[in-house]
Amino acid sequence: MSLTLTVLGTASPHPRPDRPCSGYLLRGGGAEVWVDAGPGTFAELQRHTDPARLTAVWISHLHADHCADLLSAVYGLAYGGLTPPAPVPVYAPAGCAQRLAGFFGRPDADFLKGILDFRTLHDGHLAHHGELVLTTRAVDHDVEAYGLRAEAGGRVLAYSGDSGPCPRLTELARDADLFLCEADIDEHREGEQVHLTPEDTGTTARRAGARELLVTHVGPTLTPEEATARAASAFGGPTATAHPGLTRSV
């Protein structure tokens, strides 16, 4: 019944040497879920589990740095000997399957039905896998985007995906044992609220009453260390930096 998080990648907006884009492996309640599939994360996933064992995939939004390695997964699952025993549910915003189909020049994604089962996310979407409960909430970004609240064994992980400051993100993280949250930008551009500064990240965690903050998805205008220090100052609670290979009990 334990809930654990393994960081596969954290980079924004493109992968870097030894630092893939956003991706995480969530284990708990008898389930294994690949959360976001940024470039480079399918390879990292294989360090920690056999992809054929995945219970589900959950995609926050359709920007490439969060979903492009679904293409690698198709090749691995369909043609690379990693075929799952049953189609893996993929929870994603509308249009995800069509984007993959387009890469193959297909009119639709029916040819993927043997390996992937696409299910469209919406605000308030619930999914149960074993004793793991996944709750999806819409957050503010420049495309349709969602955050995730995962619960198992009385423990709660909240994940921001990509989000600007918004009340639904605070509610998503309410009383979470671990809040995995982006801190992408140094400061907001005028009129733009599609990402979080480190101060936004820490303030959201504090207002939500989260017990611990894990800073991720730090963009090129910041270092992860700087972003974590600034977020920690605003939060006032335990704060750490996400990095590939890190595994944490929630």
Side-chain angles (χ1 to χ4, degrees):
M1 288 296 296
S2 63
L3 188 61
T4 65
L5 174 78
T6 298
V7 178
L8 307 177
T10 65
S12 167
H14 59 85
R16 305 176 194 181
D18 300 318
R19 190 180 168 205
C21 287
S22 292
Y24 311 90
L25 175 61
L26 181 63
R27 290 182 167 119
E32 296 189 27
V33 181
W34 183 15
V35 175
D36 275 346
T41 60
F42 186 65
E44 291 301 309
L45 180 70
Q46 294 169 73
R47 294 184 188 274
H48 303 281
T49 193
D50 178 352
R53 293 178 49 188
L54 285 172
T55 307
V57 180
W58 186 94
I59 302 295
S60 63
H61 64 293
L62 298 185
H63 281 158
D65 59 332
H66 290 256
C67 71
D69 244 23
L70 284 175
L71 181 60
S72 300
V74 167
Y75 276 93
L77 300 177
Y79 313 120
L82 303 176
T83 306
V88 179
V90 178
Y91 302 104
C96 184
Q98 288 73 20
R99 292 194 184 198
L100 280 176
F103 184 88
F104 291 93
R106 302 290 190 97
D108 56 52
D110 285 352
F111 72 105
L112 298 176
K113 284 184 176 178
I115 56 167
L116 299 177
D117 176 11
F118 289 92
R119 304 181 186 186
T120 302
L121 286 178
H122 57 79
D123 186 36
H125 184 280
L126 281 175
H128 296 257
H129 292 283
E131 298 300 318
L132 179 67
V133 180
L134 305 176
T135 303
T136 295
R137 291 303 311 272
V139 294
D140 289 353
H141 197 40
D142 55 355
V143 296
E144 180 184 359
Y146 299 99
L148 175 67
R149 186 178 175 94
E151 303 178 60
R155 308 298 288 178
V156 176
L157 167 78
Y159 169 51
S160 65
D162 277 7
S163 176
C166 61
R168 281 178 293 193
L169 180 60
T170 304
E171 281 306 306
L172 182 82
R174 182 71 60 198
D175 297 326
D177 296 289
L178 182 64
F179 183 27
L180 175 66
C181 189
E182 69 130 279
D184 189 79
I185 57 173
D186 183 34
E187 59 183 0
H188 291 285
R189 297 176 182 173
E190 186 175 354
E192 186 175 83
Q193 296 278 315
V194 299
H195 281 293
L196 301 172
T197 66
E199 288 74 20
D200 293 329
T201 299
T203 298
T204 299
R206 177 170 49 81
R207 289 175 176 171
R211 291 174 177 79
E212 188 172 359
L213 176 62
L214 187 60
V215 176
T216 191
H217 199 272
V218 175
T221 61
L222 293 164
T223 66
E225 295 76 17
E226 177 188 3
T228 300
R230 287 169 53 180
S233 180
F235 175 37
T239 307
T241 307
H243 59 82
L246 175 69
T247 295
R248 294 288 306 276
S249 294
V250 176

